[in-house]
Amino acid sequence: QVQLVESGGGWVQPGGSLRLSCAASGTFVSIDAMGWHRQAPGKERELVAAISRGATTSYADSVKGRFTISRDNAGNTVYLQMNSLKPEDTALYYCNVGAVIFRWGTLDYWGKGTLVTVPS
C-alpha cells in the first residue's frame, strides 16, 4: 500500500507563486516516475509535469517556463514550483506516482488533490 500526501495548494493573486509537495510513503521497493495532473471545473484531467526516476522532466506546453518539477534525493517526494500563475491555472492538482511493489511490478497511485485558485 502506498500513501500520497499532497500539500501547498491555496489562493494566490495572478503573477504569484505556489509550491506543491507530494510525499509517498508505505510499502514499496522504489518510486519510478512521478507527476502532477490537474483538473479544472468542467474540463478533463490533464498532465501538467512529470519527472522520471532519472530526473528527466516533461511539461505541458501551457506551463513551460513557469512551472518546475523536481524530486528529493530519496526519490519519494515530488515538488511542483509554480511561478507566474494565471487564472487558467486554477484547478485541483493531483499527484501521481508509479510505485514498484514487490511481486506486483509498477502500480499507479493517485493523491486526493490539492486546490490551487488564481482569481481573474
Side-chain angles (χ1 to χ4, degrees):
Q1 190 76 354
V2 177
Q3 294 80 42
L4 300 177
V5 178
E6 299 151 322
S7 61
W11 188 96
V12 64
Q13 292 276 15
S17 298
L18 285 175
R19 189 189 194 210
L20 306 184
S21 299
C22 173
S25 63
T27 305
F28 50 85
V29 175
S30 63
I31 299 293
D32 281 347
M34 309 179 85
W36 290 94
H37 292 68
R38 68 185 180 187
Q39 187 166 18
K43 294 188 177 181
E44 294 189 352
R45 190 175 297 190
E46 62 172 350
L47 176 65
V48 176
I51 184 167
S52 71
R53 191 172 179 182
T56 299
T57 59
S58 61
Y59 298 91
D61 288 342
S62 59
V63 307
K64 281 180 182 177
R66 300 188 298 122
F67 291 11
T68 302
I69 190 170
S70 61
R71 60 197 292 175
D72 68 346
N73 289 336
N76 296 342
T77 300
V78 63
Y79 307 96
L80 186 67
Q81 178 66 43
M82 305 185 294
N83 299 327
S84 303
L85 282 161
K86 305 175 180 180
E88 50 264 43
D89 295 318
T90 295
L92 196 57
Y93 283 71
Y94 296 91
C95 174
N96 168 244
V97 305
V100 179
I101 307 298
F102 181 63
R103 292 186 179 177
W104 287 93
T106 302
L107 301 180
D108 220 21
Y109 292 89
W110 291 85
K112 295 181 179 179
T114 184
L115 183 62
V116 171
T117 303
V118 187
S120 57

